Amino acid sequence: MRRKSSSLVILLLSLLVVLPVVSAQSKPVDAEGHQWWQHAVFQEIYPRSYMDSNNDGIGDLNGIALKMEYLKWLGVDAIWIAPCFPSPQVDFGYDVSDYENIDPMYGTLDDFTAMEKKGKANGIGIVFDFVVNHTSDKHKWFIESESSKTNPYRNWYIWRNGKGPNQPPNNWLSTFGGSAWQFDGKTNQYYYHFFYPQQPDLNWRNPKVASAMYDSTRFWYKRGVVGFRLDAVDTLFEDPNLTDNPILPGKNAYGDPKIEDKYTHKLPEVHDVMKGLRKAANQYNAVLIGETWTDNVSELKDYYGTNHDELQMPMDLMFTKLKPLSAEVFRKHVGAVDSSGEWPVYVMSNHDIVRAYTRFADGKHDDDIAKVLAGMYLTLRGTAIMYYGEEIGMKNNDPTRKEDVKDPIGQLGWPEQKGRDGERTPMQWNDTPNAGFTQGIPWLPVPMTYETHNVASEQKDPNSILNFYKNLLALRHTNQALLDGDYIALNQDDANVYSYLRRYKGQAVLVVLNMSENPQNVSFNLSKQGFSTGEAKTLLSTINGGATQKLSGMSLPSYTVYIGEVTK
Ligand code: NOJ
């Protein structure tokens, strides 16, 4: 008897160790075991540009807190906030000097807590951005590391001797221009930086680095963060033998030779770190989103982990490179990603790439095209990550003069590389000066389209891009077929209209997207898929039509979306 009760105690104690410490979000949400992040809509927020609560021209955490009701109204469930940790801001926060605090420019730890609470009250989780590849050169670890060759932190970064006088250790290049090696006169060695020289790469082969970084993720999980977007994971490791990268023909925007990133990207060891980060995330039921720039679907699949023990949400960033807007292009790519068997993560825009609104605009149907894009990627199987302002049709506002450029790569590579200021401009809240973002001088200029494309005006217009997004997200949250259904491509020979079914058990939603500037006529016969009434009940559409729609001879004006429920 006594033996039994002591083994019960041991069992309970071991459960305490194994069970999640805190549940970041609710447990699996449906009978099939889908996790909270599979049914969530994420939005990236660039904190410098979202809402400025203290009128210094730069957004802040209190500003984000003020907009939680808006995000809830829109239908966002989690926000990924680009880095807001202490930073010299050389790369606008992607040069972190302390992983466990908030930059005073954005607020304090208390402001973080207040924002997190306000988020929770509105059903919105906070995802932070973890810069895993490098720190700032002002991080205390690097300050120690560069102080001498024998400092205990020396091996936290990648230091090597040059090949000879004024000769870096090899031909590796920084993606932001020039050699990836920076000489340090004090210790006569070079350190490696894939990004700016002020962003030295961490040495992930050192177990102390790994455990300090895993601890920092726990620091935030304990404070309520529900996950991380992991920055630049492809470049965590480099070939320890420093083999030169193969040189390709031609020059890049910085005048450097083009090279193949063979010995500096996606080394197999990356997966060990993904597993380590995932272990920590699992204790808190948290999600990991990866900045995964893959060249093909098989590389993307690798990031989920062979045992699904790496990233739950590696971003499909190949999706951001698809062009032109064409049924064939998107059908082919989505088909390949969907059939990989993983849970896709579609992204159209972010703070590093020209906004999708601008990429696909034709100057005549820009708002209609924006709705077609939303109608597509927010109805596909998988989790979508929106970019702030996309829901109101914000466009890029690129600098036209070198002297106005804030992003250093725009200064270095001008005019071929204008930098990323254009996609990072202040959120357009209303039609008052500075679009209601600040009463001060905004750190980047607001594009003139704020007069028509802003939250307040679009909320009032039932046909606005914003109301289209809002209605679409509401549908996505409640419709079982959109949440969990299979993806079945239809009419695969149609070069202009991209259409598919999302089928879940006995129900299905039909999505029809006219991706051309010409009106199109389409017909669907869905009896093979088990839906033979020849009709759909309209759920959301940009076509003027009735409550039901015949599936033969559907006419679609240029750039339109039709979403309807088909029945047996
Ligand atoms: C990717 C981030 O998205 C980008 O903004 C940053 O400059 C680099 N990583 C370096 O951290």
Side-chain angles (χ1 to χ4, degrees), residues 2-276:
R2 175 171 295 158
R3 235 232 231 111
K4 257 197 187 154
S5 62
S6 60
S7 45
L8 194 67
V9 171
I10 292 171
L11 180 72
L12 285 174
L13 281 175
S14 51
L15 275 179
L16 275 180
V17 175
V18 179
L19 283 177
V21 183
V22 186
S23 180
Q25 295 275 312
S26 49
K27 292 303 287 171
V29 284
D30 65 10
E32 281 82 26
H34 285 108
Q35 304 287 322
W36 67 267
W37 45 267
Q38 291 180 291
H39 287 179
V41 172
F42 289 69
Q43 186 172 45
E44 179 192 354
I45 283 183
Y46 199 65
R48 287 183 83 85
S49 297
Y50 200 60
M51 182 64 202
D52 177 14
S53 74
N54 61 356
N55 297 318
D56 62 357
I58 292 171
D60 43 53
L61 299 193
N62 288 335
I64 297 175
L66 287 173
K67 297 299 181 184
M68 288 295 182
E69 285 87 1
Y70 163 72
L71 290 164
K72 179 180 182 185
W73 171 86
L74 176 60
V76 169
D77 306 291
I79 48 174
W80 142 33
I81 303 178
C84 52
F85 312 108
S87 160
Q89 302 289 323
V90 172
D91 192 16
F92 298 114
Y94 283 95
D95 46 325
V96 177
S97 55
D98 179 358
Y99 287 100
E100 298 181 1
N101 213 331
I102 299 291
D103 194 294
M105 160 195 305
Y106 293 122
T108 61
L109 271 175
D110 285 346
D111 295 334
F112 162 77
T113 301
M115 173 187 72
E116 191 274 331
K117 282 214 174 94
K118 182 97 184 280
K120 197 173 274 158
N122 284 284
I124 293 163
I126 308 293
V127 172
F128 260 180
D129 199 325
F130 199 47
V131 187
V132 271
N133 178 71
H134 49 269
T135 68
S136 157
D137 61 346
K138 300 290 178 281
H139 193 291
K140 62 179 183 215
W141 302 337
F142 190 75
I143 293 174
E144 292 281 345
S145 184
E146 68 174 349
S147 68
S148 86
K149 275 186 176 166
T150 53
N151 186 282
Y153 284 88
R154 186 67 169 180
N155 195 26
W156 283 51
Y157 294 85
I158 300 162
W159 291 96
R160 293 288 186 279
N161 293 328
K163 266 190 179 159
N166 296 324
Q167 278 188 303
N170 67 9
N171 77 347
W172 294 350
L173 293 177
S174 157
T175 192
F176 287 166
S179 168
W181 296 99
Q182 178 73 20
F183 185 65
D184 168 55
K186 193 161 24 131
T187 57
N188 244 332
Q189 281 197 312
Y190 288 81
Y191 69 84
Y192 179 72
H193 59 91
F194 183 67
F195 297 96
Y196 294 122
Q198 297 89 336
Q199 294 169 299
D201 273 47
L202 281 163
N203 176 17
W204 274 91
R205 294 184 197 280
N206 179 348
K208 289 187 179 149
V209 167
S211 88
M213 293 294 273
Y214 299 157
D215 281 352
S216 287
T217 65
R218 291 191 189 95
F219 174 92
W220 290 108
Y221 293 141
K222 285 180 195 146
R223 281 163 178 77
V225 157
V226 301
F228 279 101
R229 176 263 190 189
L230 304 174
D231 185 64
V233 294
D234 302 329
T235 54
L236 285 184
F237 287 86
E238 301 74 32
D239 172 28
N241 299 322
L242 304 194
T243 314
D244 274 345
N245 271 329
I247 299 190
L248 304 171
K251 299 241 167 194
N252 66 21
Y254 310 105
D256 299 319
K258 288 195 174 152
I259 56 167
E260 188 194 330
D261 297 315
K262 190 167 170 187
Y263 295 103
T264 46
H265 281 60
K266 300 186 195 106
L267 267 62
E269 293 89 329
V270 167
H271 296 286
D272 301 333
V273 175
M274 298 302 100
K275 288 188 186 109

Side-chain angles (χ1 to χ4, degrees), residues 277-290:
L277 288 162
R278 176 66 181 274
K279 253 195 199 152
N282 281 350
Q283 290 182 290
Y284 298 87
N285 195 23
V287 70
L288 295 178
I289 303 172

Side-chain angles (χ1 to χ4, degrees), residues 40-45 78-80 229 289-290 313-316 344-350 377-378 382-388 390 476:
V41 172
F42 289 69
Q43 186 172 45
E44 179 192 354
I45 283 183
I79 48 174
W80 142 33
R229 176 263 190 189
I289 303 172
M313 288 178 55
M315 286 188 268
D316 174 9
V345 181
Y346 295 112
V347 181
M348 294 288 322
S349 296
N350 68 31
Y377 93 107
L378 294 168
T383 300
I385 307 182
M386 293 160 45
Y387 186 47
Y388 82 95
E390 175 187 296
R476 197 191 147 98

Side-chain angles (χ1 to χ4, degrees), residues 321-396:
K321 293 187 172 170
L322 298 180
K323 61 179 184 191
L325 181 61
S326 114
E328 282 170 334
V329 167
F330 281 90
R331 185 187 295 127
K332 186 163 170 237
H333 179 79
V334 171
V337 171
D338 197 81
S339 58
S340 76
E342 303 296 348
W343 185 259
V345 181
Y346 295 112
V347 181
M348 294 288 322
S349 296
N350 68 31
H351 63 281
D352 293 327
I353 49 185
V354 173
R355 284 180 178 273
Y357 185 92
T358 301
R359 293 205 308 274
F360 293 106
D362 70 351
K364 280 187 275 175
H365 308 92
D366 300 356
D367 288 4
D368 292 335
I369 293 172
K371 290 179 194 169
V372 170
L373 296 173
M376 172 186 58
Y377 93 107
L378 294 168
T379 59
L380 289 173
R381 189 181 75 87
T383 300
I385 307 182
M386 293 160 45
Y387 186 47
Y388 82 95
E390 175 187 296
E391 73 273 23
I392 51 171
M394 265 174 71
K395 67 176 209 177
N396 254 64

